[in-house]
Amino acid sequence: MDHLDRLEAQSIYILREAYKHFGKLGMLWSVGKDSTVMLWLAKKAFFGHCPFPFIHVDTTYKIPEMIEFRDRMAKEHNMDLIVEINREALEQGMGPEQGRLICCKALKTEGLHRVVKNYGFEGLILGIRRDEEGSRSKERVFSERNAESEWDYTDQPPELWDQFKTDFKKGNHIRVHPILHWNEIDIWEYIKRENIPLVDLYFAKDGKRYRSLGCAPCTNPIESTATCIDDIIEELKNTKESERSGRAQDQEASHAMQKLRKEGYM
Amino acid sequence: MEEMRESVNIVVVGHVDHGKSTLIGRILYDTNTLSEGAIEKVKKLSAEKGKSFEYAYLLDAFEEEQQQGITIDTTQLQFATQKRDYVIIDAPGHKEFLKNMISGAANAEVAFLMVDASEGIQEQSRRHGYILSLLGIEKVYVVINKMDLVAYSEERYEQIQQDFNEFLYNLNIFPIRYIPISAFLGENVVEKSDKMPWYKYDSILETMDSITKEEGVKNMPLRFPIQDVYKFDHRRIIAGRIESGSIHVGDEILISPTNKVTKVKSIEYWAEKDKGDMATAGMSVGITVEDEFFNKRGEIISLKKDAPITGNLFNANIFWMGKSDLVKNKSYKLKLGTQEVECEIFSINRVIDASTLETLDDSSAVHKSDVAEVTIKTKQMIGFDEFKNIRNTGRFVIVDELNVSGGGIISGIDSSLQNRELTTKSTNLAPRKRLVSRKDREQKYQQTGKVIWISGLPGCGKNEIAVKVEKKLFDLGKKVYYLDSANIRFGLSSDLTFTEADAHEQTRRLAEVASLFADSGMITIVTSVSKFKQDREYARHIIGEQKYIEIFVEATEEVCRKRNPKGVFEDSDAHLFYEKAEYPVVTLYIDEAEFNSDKKAEAILSLIQEK
Ligand SMILES: Nc1nc2c(ncn2[C@@H]2O[C@H](COP(=O)(O)OP(=O)(O)O)[C@@H](O)[C@H]2O)c(=O)[nH]1
């Protein structure tokens, strides 16, 4: 087994644990590279099947190519797709001009919380990674959220020997993080090896590409000439910029991300 | 060909403020791992707090951690040297966050145990040492930090090394090296320090690169715990991860604890590139089998010749992190591999203060942060291994209410208590950990303990054969003992009569005693009428198939009557009825009353010699 085999086997193990333990389980699919890798891992874990729905929290501010790609993949892979839009908030005029963090909370955190409530999810699979940002580097693989989707990071349960938190109070839910242990380069090497389809936005056009995808008003492409995966890997090996530096919500005051995530953000 | 990427997981543990976060921060900084943004942030934060540059902020990401200047939760960060990738795990040093320290350390292959040179060995230095030994982390380096505060003194270094070794050797931890550093000033972190010319070995980073990665589990016995069984389409796929060994299409496999046997039909896959006819340790796979009987999560697939132990009682060394104490007479959930069963603490044999190694007087409960030796009884039979033999199936966690509250490793169980479900009315037992195992005895005595169960109707000649077998084996220098069921009726079974129920109880006692004899390494000969097959199956179950050899002395009715004129056939009219076994047994035919018992005994001897 090589490095990617080991990462893959561990992720599959986690996905199967989630499927075994949670009656109501869903996978968050942001359309980005990480969650598309997860879709792939799920197909491997369940031998070509996807035994749970995929959830896309749509802020209506997403980059249009993302929505196009989403709908194409959903059809091709016969995915059971739930698209959640927080219409109430939008009708009341919610948007990035109200303040980035306020908007993120209303359209993403709230949106996510509503899906959990409406469908009664016990388990929610998310594609976050430890190397993305500080509060994620401290996450557990199975991470409990209370009835309000809040995270008590000051008192996380022990997690050892792949024995995860599977007992919890009714009304709470568990965030499952199957690719927590991967890093950004692992993701790209795996996409290359497995030939996983991706939205074009990641590849450079006119000297720019997206390194991380989000809402159009708050996501900036980076300067890049990387037009293929090999170029991207080479670029990443030599950069000192952080992956999410193009994501506005990460650049706000210190601990902004921790606060967002405490309230239930991905 | 591209070079294979390799990743090593290293945990940094030790008493609070001994410099764990600083060392990791320093390594990340010096290996150019940090993004510009991250460094800027820490500079800003440090300035706000009036400090020069606090490396610890790079890891203590939570606001609470930075405000209070402590590490609350474990962090995993990645960095790379020229040679390979590392995951470095920061573990909190406060006693109250021990559960987070354990969560971090359980993922590591290597540990750096930090000790402050000026403060010396403290409570958590020792407790963390103990936890490392329970987690089975053998590659341990002690890092003596803040050497700048003791003027880089070799003497101080030697002193700490001597003191700490005394403690750690008791835990079977043998540090590979003691590395003197100053994390804050970067002495001996990346490059060798010129401040300590007396230290002849590698710096921290050089040491890391010199560690060889263990890849042993592939060559161990197969352990494939069933994680789930899928029926999404026409295939019925048994899914799981191979914890050790390897599995091939066509392998004959045993499923524990149900003891069913079947063959691997196929190894399933989705992506064409994953197609294959074998799988090895670490892989998450799915197989189909030839006989589709019911199997479920928790059962362990192995090869027939190397099966796990099955049982409902075992000894373990545990650490406790629960908010409420671990006590007897309370139901807990035990998670071992993919098995989840109800269990209780059968006995608490010793409670230890992990920071002093002292045995606590009160062994009625195990408190938070203590370690203990306990005996655990599960409600159902489970499959397991001794931790020292196979790790992944030799360790477990205990769930109290909704929380994982303890973890432990199985130190074993007396072989006389294995492979069957045990029940008892007494609540005050404690199966002790023994220092001599059955294997040890076998090696010493040059023989394997077993029971030769000779059955047959009264008068068939079994006693005559048995005494000959005993004598012959004895003369060969074997350790042998003949347990005559008739004699037992004068002592141990003097309360029993010859009713069917009592006959059954007599078989149980005989089998239990014989099983202990065999366990002591003795070749044990038993004679017993045991004409009902149910009774013999029971004996075989108690003694264990591996150790049990059944011999049926079959004599004609005429021979029996002639040889036993008084006719002790009190139990029923069907006195000459013998119910044959459903599995193959050796049968000795006796067709004349004056048969040659010597010859029959020889036959038995040649039979057990082969075994
Ligand atoms: N003088 C000196 N101080 C150090 C050294 N390493 C760490 N420190 C300081 O010791 C304190 C505790 O360090 P920290 O890394 O937070 O310890 P932790 O609790 O083990 O993670 C901090 O104020 C560090 O600046 C060292 O090598 N020399």
Side-chain angles (χ1 to χ4, degrees):
Chain A
M1 284 177 92
D2 66 19
H3 181 67
L4 292 178
D5 294 334
R6 275 191 282 267
L7 295 174
E8 177 191 72
Q10 178 69 6
S11 300
I12 290 175
Y13 186 79
I14 295 164
L15 284 169
R16 288 176 176 167
E17 283 301 281
Y19 179 62
K20 182 74 207 177
H21 282 97
F22 306 125
K24 277 299 260 180
L25 179 68
M27 181 184 275
L28 223 61
W29 187 46
S30 75
V31 185
K33 61 185 192 318
D34 304 277
S35 53
T36 306
V37 162
M38 282 210 307
L39 162 66
W40 215 255
L41 291 165
K43 291 217 122 179
K44 285 203 179 191
F46 306 110
F47 304 96
H49 300 266
C50 290
F52 38 69
F54 289 78
I55 303 152
H56 185 228
V57 180
D58 190 349
T59 58
T60 68
Y61 286 99
K62 297 280 169 194
I63 306 167
E65 284 94 324
M66 291 170 69
I67 302 300
E68 222 169 84
F69 178 79
R70 178 190 79 190
D71 295 338
R72 185 158 53 79
M73 283 291 277
K75 216 162 141 198
E76 244 167 59
H77 287 268
N78 203 11
M79 292 156 71
D80 174 5
L81 184 67
I82 298 172
V83 176
E84 172 68 27
I85 300 176
N86 189 352
R87 297 231 178 260
E88 272 167 49
L90 286 167
E91 275 159 22
Q92 285 163 23
M94 183 50 71
E97 53 291 337
Q98 308 281 328
R100 283 185 177 124
L101 297 179
I102 295 172
C103 179
C104 263
K105 180 163 162 38
L107 299 184
K108 293 178 82 178
T109 311
E110 257 319 296
L112 188 55
H113 182 57
R114 283 159 51 121
V115 185
V116 173
K117 285 288 141 221
N118 293 345
Y119 292 84
F121 282 118
E122 297 176 316
L124 215 51
I125 305 168
L126 282 83
I128 62 162
R129 304 190 324 265
R130 287 206 178 94
D131 72 329
E132 285 181 291
E133 136 318 298
S135 75
R136 289 187 175 111
S137 75
K138 301 218 167 208
E139 266 286 6
R140 298 289 190 265
V141 177
F142 276 43
S143 186
E144 190 173 3
R145 297 294 182 273
N146 72 10
E148 302 309 316
S149 292
E150 289 161 345
W151 180 36
D152 181 8
Y153 56 81
T154 58
D155 189 20
Q156 297 202 75
E159 189 166 81
L160 63 156
W161 302 332
D162 289 339
Q163 298 295 357
F164 306 117
K165 172 96 180 158
T166 50
D167 302 280
F168 55 96
K169 218 169 87 194
K170 209 173 150 48
N172 292 7
H173 74 274
I174 300 284
R175 299 270 170 98
V176 179
H177 304 134
I179 56 167
L180 198 58
H181 55 298
W182 296 48
N183 68 28
E184 192 182 5
I185 291 180
D186 297 329
I187 293 282
W188 282 109
E189 288 185 342
Y190 190 70
I191 289 171
K192 183 182 167 201
R193 185 179 94 171
E194 302 288 322
N195 208 3
I196 300 173
L198 268 196
V199 59
D200 284 339
L201 294 165
Y202 286 110
F203 302 100
K205 231 188 276 155
D206 306 326
K208 280 181 189 301
R209 72 175 193 93
Y210 286 91
R211 189 166 162 199
S212 170
L213 292 180
C215 298
C218 297
T219 309
N220 293 316
I222 56 164
E223 308 266 334
S224 170
T225 53
T227 52
C228 65
I229 297 178
D230 284 329
D231 289 354
I232 291 177
I233 293 173
E234 207 39 48
E235 181 188 284
L236 293 177
K237 282 183 176 159
N238 295 310
T239 185
K240 287 205 83 183
E241 282 291 321
S242 78
E243 178 180 2
R244 293 175 64 93
S245 58
R247 302 288 292 274
Q249 65 270 38
D250 289 46
Q251 311 315 317
E252 297 276 337
S254 44
H255 307 295
M257 198 45 152
Q258 174 186 332
K259 282 172 193 139
L260 265 179
R261 298 198 64 245
K262 177 181 194 293
E263 290 162 350
Y265 189 82
M266 8 333 238
Chain B
M1 220 189 84
E2 229 180 295
E3 215 184 312
M4 284 273 269
R5 276 181 67 194
E6 186 180 77
S7 176
V8 177
N9 291 8
I10 301 179
V11 69
V12 183
V13 298
H15 196 78
V16 62
D17 274 352
H18 282 198
K20 299 178 289 298
S21 304
T22 306
L23 173 62
I24 298 174
R26 183 85 216 188
I27 290 172
L28 297 178
Y29 188 85
D30 289 346
T31 51
N32 267 327
T33 308
L34 300 162
S35 68
E36 266 144 26
I39 296 174
E40 278 313 309
K41 258 190 204 166
V42 170
K43 272 195 184 143
K44 211 173 103 198
L45 264 165
S46 307
E48 278 169 21
K49 301 242 151 55
K51 297 188 175 180
S52 54
F53 188 85
E54 193 57 56
Y55 288 97
Y57 289 167
L58 290 165
L59 292 117
D60 294 337
F62 290 143
E63 193 171 7
E64 289 78 354
E65 294 180 314
Q66 295 180 354
Q67 265 166 9
Q68 298 166 35
I70 55 168
T71 307
I72 295 172
D73 213 332
T74 176
T75 314
Q76 296 194 17
L77 294 160
Q78 305 191 13
F79 76 95
T81 60
Q82 296 291 337
K83 184 173 172 186
R84 63 184 167 198
D85 294 355
Y86 293 92
V87 176
I88 194 145
I89 306 164
D90 184 29
H94 280 85
K95 185 176 170 183
E96 60 177 302
F97 303 132
L98 188 72
K99 66 180 166 67
N100 297 339
M101 175 270 175
I102 289 170
S103 303
N107 285 308
E109 301 150 80
V110 180
F112 283 177
L113 178 47
M114 305 271 298
V115 177
D116 182 323
S118 63
E119 259 189 57
I121 301 152
Q122 299 292 314
E123 189 184 331
Q124 304 315 316
S125 328
R126 285 188 288 257
R127 182 171 278 113
H128 285 187
Y130 205 126
I131 297 291
L132 294 179
S133 84
L134 285 179
L135 293 174
I137 299 172
E138 284 160 4
K139 294 198 167 108
V140 177
Y141 293 85
V142 178
V143 177
I144 304 187
N145 186 31
K146 306 196 190 179
M147 288 300 289
D148 52 307
L149 298 183
V150 297
Y152 300 102
S153 151
E154 182 179 10
E155 204 182 321
R156 182 72 186 143
Y157 166 88
E158 295 285 350
Q159 185 61 48
I160 292 178
Q161 172 160 353
Q162 202 181 341
D163 292 350
F164 212 14
N165 272 344
E166 208 171 294
F167 178 86
L168 293 175
Y169 285 2
N170 268 317
L171 301 170
N172 285 324
I173 292 188
F174 305 97
I176 300 170
R177 178 143 303 134
Y178 283 71
I179 311 172
I181 67 161
S182 166
F184 191 76
L185 300 175
E187 298 296 336
N188 250 347
V189 175
V190 176
E191 276 151 24
K192 263 197 273 294
S193 162
D194 50 17
K195 301 254 168 29
M196 292 171 274
W198 47 265
Y199 175 74
K200 301 275 181 267
Y201 303 98
D202 291 344
S203 68
I204 293 276
L205 225 53
E206 291 165 342
T207 303
M208 285 186 180
D209 277 346
S210 73
I211 296 164
T212 46
K213 212 175 149 68
E214 229 48 74
E215 292 279 11
V217 282
K218 245 190 272 179
N219 304 323
M220 309 236 287
L222 171 68
R223 293 292 180 266
F224 177 33
I226 300 179
Q227 194 176 5
D228 210 343
V229 180
Y230 300 135
K231 190 103 189 34
F232 296 125
D233 44 42
H234 64 281
R235 301 169 293 181
R236 186 172 172 284
I237 300 176
I238 298 176
R241 180 173 60 194
I242 300 175
E243 299 296 349
S244 64
S246 54
I247 194 166
H248 307 78
V249 171
D251 276 350
E252 191 162 72
I253 52 173
L254 174 78
I255 302 174
S256 298
T258 56
N259 283 329
K260 290 191 179 118
V261 177
T262 184
K263 265 191 184 152
V264 180
K265 194 157 87 186
S266 68
I267 293 176
E268 294 297 323
Y269 59 94
W270 171 61
E272 198 56 33
K273 65 174 274 295
D274 296 333
K275 193 171 170 176
D277 56 8
M278 76 156 318
T280 56
M283 294 165 87
S284 285
V285 296
I287 64 167
T288 63
V289 294
E290 268 171 19
D291 308 279
E292 300 213 332
F293 38 69
F294 179 75
N295 10 55
K296 61 175 195 297
R297 178 182 167 93
E299 292 169 347
I300 300 177
I301 293 173
S302 69
L303 296 183
K304 233 176 137 181
K305 63 175 178 1
D306 258 328
I309 301 168
T310 56
N312 68 337
L313 194 77
F314 57 82
N315 292 323
N317 296 319
I318 59 152
F319 46 86
W320 191 246
M321 340 174 238
K323 287 184 179 115
S324 24
D325 294 347
L326 178 75
V327 291
K328 294 206 312 184
N329 300 320
K330 179 175 169 185
S331 171
Y332 296 96
K333 179 152 87 180
L334 181 108
K335 288 173 144 191
L336 189 158
T338 57
Q339 300 172 101
E340 292 181 23
V341 292
E342 211 180 294
C343 77
E344 61 176 302
I345 302 303
F346 187 71
S347 63
I348 299 174
N349 307 329
R350 196 158 96 91
V351 183
I352 303 147
D353 179 337
S355 65
T356 59
L357 294 190
E358 267 162 30
T359 300
L360 303 180
D361 292 334
D362 176 17
S363 66
S364 63
V366 185
H367 309 293
K368 191 175 163 187
S369 307
D370 282 340
V371 298
E373 293 171 6
V374 298
T375 304
I376 293 178
K377 186 164 178 287
T378 56
K379 201 159 179 191
Q380 291 124 293
M381 295 278 280
I382 58 167
F384 60 87
D385 287 287
E386 282 181 36
F387 182 75
K388 69 173 183 337
N389 297 334
I390 304 181
R391 292 189 164 198
N392 292 7
T393 40
R395 63 193 183 189
F396 58 87
V397 298
I398 299 172
V399 180
D400 183 12
E401 308 291 342
L402 301 175
N403 302 308
V404 170
S405 300
I409 58 177
I410 297 177
S411 58
I413 188 71
D414 211 58
S415 49
S416 66
L417 300 177
Q418 283 175 16
N419 301 326
R420 60 192 170 115
E421 202 159 338
L422 303 164
T423 49
T424 165
K425 283 185 187 151
S426 41
T427 53
N428 228 346
L429 297 173
R432 297 286 166 193
K433 197 168 138 187
R434 307 262 288 251
L435 298 176
V436 183
S437 72
R438 189 169 86 215
K439 275 220 176 75
D440 296 336
R441 285 181 225 279
E442 287 176 359
Q443 263 170 14
K444 189 88 166 183
Y445 303 156
Q446 291 289 304
Q447 66 178 41
T448 47
K450 52 173 87 63
V451 177
I452 306 169
W453 191 274
I454 307 178
S455 74
L457 296 171
C460 69
K462 52 188 184 304
N463 300 60
E464 218 175 307
I465 296 169
V467 293
K468 287 273 169 59
V469 174
E470 184 183 29
K471 177 76 169 108
K472 281 177 190 292
L473 284 169
F474 184 80
D475 289 345
L476 284 171
K478 299 287 179 193
K479 301 193 169 46
V480 58
Y481 187 77
Y482 168 33
L483 258 179
D484 184 345
S485 102
N487 291 353
I488 291 209
R489 286 198 174 263
F490 291 110
L492 181 62
S493 291
S494 57
D495 58 328
L496 298 182
T497 63
F498 288 89
T499 63
E500 199 174 320
D502 275 6
H504 191 63
E505 174 60 14
Q506 165 73 349
T507 307
R508 189 186 74 80
R509 293 184 192 179
L510 202 53
E512 289 285 1
V513 173
S515 176
L516 289 176
F517 268 84
D519 197 58
S520 77
M522 197 66 73
I523 298 173
T524 315
I525 305 161
V526 172
T527 54
S528 159
V529 177
S530 48
K531 61 185 177 183
F532 297 108
K533 75 173 189 229
Q534 184 203 345
D535 282 351
R536 296 188 312 274
E537 277 166 10
Y538 188 38
R540 181 172 179 244
H541 171 72
I542 290 171
I543 293 159
E545 260 172 77
Q546 314 292 336
K547 293 188 285 176
Y548 176 87
I549 303 168
E550 185 173 319
I551 290 169
F552 171 36
V553 181
E554 185 171 17
T556 60
E557 184 172 337
E558 193 200 337
V559 171
C560 290
R561 290 200 181 285
K562 213 160 162 187
R563 291 176 44 85
N564 186 14
K566 283 198 246 49
V568 194
F569 301 122
E570 36 312 64
D571 54 343
S572 72
D573 293 338
H575 48 260
L576 286 180
F577 165 77
Y578 183 94
E579 194 181 9
K580 290 196 176 168
E582 272 165 17
Y583 44 86
V585 298
V586 180
T587 305
L588 300 173
Y589 291 100
I590 312 286
D591 49 11
E592 47 170 331
E594 306 306 319
F595 72 100
N596 186 338
S597 56
D598 226 54
K599 266 205 183 133
K600 302 292 177 194
E602 283 295 344
I604 293 179
L605 240 60
S606 62
L607 175 82
I608 65 164
Q609 228 95 64
E610 284 162 30
K611 285 236 169 182

